[in-house]
Amino acid sequence: MTAMLLATAMGASAGSDANGQPPYRFDFGDGPVAPSYIGVRAEDAYTPEKGYGFNTPEHMSNVPASGTGTDSDAVRFLQFGTKSTNTFNVDLKLGLYRISVTLGNTSRATVAAEGVYQVLNLTGNNATDAFEIPITDGQLNLLVTEGKAGTAFTLSALEIKRVSPKPETSPTIWVGGDSTVASYYPLATSAQGGWGQLLADHVDLRAHQVRNIATGGQIARGFRDGGQLETIVKYAKPGDLFLLEMGINDTNPKNETTEAQFKEIMRDMVRQVAATGARPVLVTPQGRATDFNAEGVHSATGRWYRRATLALAQEENVALVDLNVLSSAYFTQIGREATLELYMPGDSLHPNRAGAAELARLVAEDLERQQIRVAAH
């Protein structure tokens, strides 16, 4: 009955799945409802008869947003957290779904569903992204939560489309790391980039999806204990890859992580992911743009606890992409000035979009060299 009510609300739609189920499109806020969308106000509580709504609408509010159409208004989550019950619920058949989200006005926010992170640190008003999620219990439970303390966490629009009746994620390349790996928004045009954001350009997307769980400022302990690893362990399976790059922020004295501690935290993450049947791959961070010697050779082998990462790869018998050395060879080849042009202005650490694209290329090429197939053949 619920599916019939939702389908009736949506009407027949191009893009229906193989069973004729149209995508569900929700327009949040108290403004006009866009054509072919279901309007949802903050006060709309979930009911089994309706099949969608907020679990605790008393903790939601309607707010304006800066865009047009569906993006002109939004709802704000007043209570949040990955384990919060203040969720937007939608009854769904068992299966694998693609969830497309558009936020309202926010400076940094994260999307969670089923109690774990899904898309991290979206920035800018009306930021958009998408993810796949298996529904095994008949209901999606989604909320927008904290990416940065003190900012608003809002949702303007949501599209839900079933891509398979089998509730299992597609073969996935999971990526963990810090700001040199993370995604930046808008995804297609951001000035700054992380190699995890651009990796999909070098992957056969018919064979794998890429899920980038990296975030700026992250350290190994934070990634393991703060919920990001939890997402990967929840969904990872045989045939998946887990690319993990850490060390830049771990070496900062304020994070109080010795090289020995870093190594054991990384070992724990490698073993947890390996236990799911997925394949861990360690990646060393590239150096700074300024790591050239007087002869014009770029070298950063002493940075970012690289030695611990190399030793760990050998001890745990896992693959290693030594991006530190690979990127240095590339930077030496192109020279100082061209290397600086691959980094953000006045910043010797963070690559711009072009720099991130080159780093992603180096990672993908080295995986292929090691016969870890990710590219189209």
Side-chain angles (χ1 to χ4, degrees):
M1 183 65 176
T2 295
M4 291 180 62
L5 286 170
L6 275 169
T8 299
M10 287 304 309
S13 172
S16 297
D17 70 18
N19 296 314
Q21 176 178 293
Y24 300 146
R25 298 187 179 99
F26 296 98
D27 181 356
F28 296 94
D30 57 3
V33 179
S36 81
Y37 281 75
I38 301 171
V40 183
R41 298 164 62 98
E43 56 268 28
D44 288 344
Y46 168 82
T47 65
E49 295 76 20
K50 190 168 55 178
Y52 64 89
F54 291 104
N55 194 47
T56 51
E58 62 271 22
H59 300 311
M60 302 298 303
S61 66
N62 298 302
V63 293
S66 299
T68 59
T70 59
D71 302 349
S72 64
D73 56 353
V75 290
R76 180 176 181 179
F77 292 79
L78 303 179
Q79 289 191 356
F80 42 84
T82 56
K83 311 301 181 187
S84 173
T85 60
N86 187 37
T87 54
F88 179 67
N89 302 336
V90 185
D91 292 339
L92 298 170
K93 297 177 183 178
L94 299 186
L96 178 66
Y97 289 80
R98 180 173 176 81
I99 312 296
S100 300
V101 295
T102 302
L103 303 188
N105 289 3
T106 187
S107 61
R108 188 183 301 171
T110 288
V111 177
E114 311 312 304
V116 296
Y117 293 129
Q118 300 291 340
V119 183
L120 288 100
N121 286 4
L122 286 78
T123 54
N125 296 341
N126 300 129
T128 62
D129 208 337
F131 59 93
E132 285 187 358
I133 187 169
I135 299 297
T136 59
D137 60 0
Q139 190 176 79
L140 172 70
N141 311 109
L142 178 144
L143 78 161
V144 183
T145 186
E146 190 169 84
K148 181 180 181 181
T151 63
F153 312 120
T154 61
L155 180 63
S156 276
L158 183 68
E159 180 173 320
I160 303 169
K161 183 176 181 180
R162 190 164 75 159
V163 296
S164 171
K166 186 178 181 181
E168 183 178 280
T169 55
S170 304
T172 304
I173 301 172
W174 301 93
V175 183
D178 52 41
S179 57
T180 66
V181 187
S183 296
Y184 297 86
Y185 296 83
L187 288 171
T189 60
S190 63
Q192 187 169 348
W195 66 254
Q197 175 184 355
L198 280 296
L199 185 64
D201 292 345
H202 304 277
V203 168
D204 182 359
L205 298 179
R206 298 167 298 180
H208 296 91
Q209 64 163 333
V210 178
R211 292 287 301 273
N212 190 13
I213 312 296
T215 52
Q218 192 55 281
I219 61 174
R221 183 184 293 108
F223 192 91
R224 183 190 66 177
D225 299 344
Q228 288 160 276
L229 184 67
E230 181 184 11
T231 300
I232 297 165
V233 171
K234 179 180 178 70
Y235 297 119
K237 60 192 181 301
D240 287 2
L241 292 177
F242 173 42
L243 309 182
L244 178 61
E245 179 193 294
M246 288 287 175
I248 293 176
N249 298 301
D250 300 83
T251 60
N252 190 320
K254 73 176 184 179
N255 290 316
E256 299 180 340
T257 304
T258 67
E259 189 163 5
Q261 291 170 331
F262 168 78
K263 184 179 178 183
E264 293 311 308
I265 295 167
M266 294 285 280
R267 188 191 308 276
D268 184 30
M269 289 196 281
V270 163
R271 290 182 174 180
Q272 286 193 51
V273 172
T276 70
R279 182 177 184 178
V281 178
L282 294 173
V283 184
T284 60
Q286 85 283 353
R288 291 184 176 275
T290 51
D291 284 334
F292 282 89
N293 65 18
E295 287 72 43
V297 175
H298 190 282
S299 178
T301 55
R303 289 195 182 276
W304 320 137
Y305 290 160
R306 173 177 171 270
R307 286 184 294 269
T309 302
L310 268 60
L312 178 61
Q314 185 173 30
E315 292 167 15
E316 294 296 317
N317 193 29
V318 299
L320 171 80
V321 174
D322 199 354
L323 183 60
N324 182 287
V325 169
L326 293 169
S327 60
S328 283
Y330 176 68
F331 295 154
T332 298
Q333 177 188 351
I334 64 174
R336 297 174 190 266
E337 294 306 314
T339 296
L340 283 171
E341 291 177 2
L342 296 177
Y343 283 74
M344 294 297 289
D347 185 341
S348 67
L349 179 61
H350 296 100
N352 58 27
R353 190 178 188 87
E358 293 296 343
L359 295 174
R361 175 184 62 79
L362 292 171
V363 170
E365 287 179 352
D366 200 59
L367 290 171
E368 288 287 313
R369 182 189 63 79
Q370 299 183 57
Q371 298 187 346
I372 303 172
R373 301 301 186 192
V374 297
H377 293 277

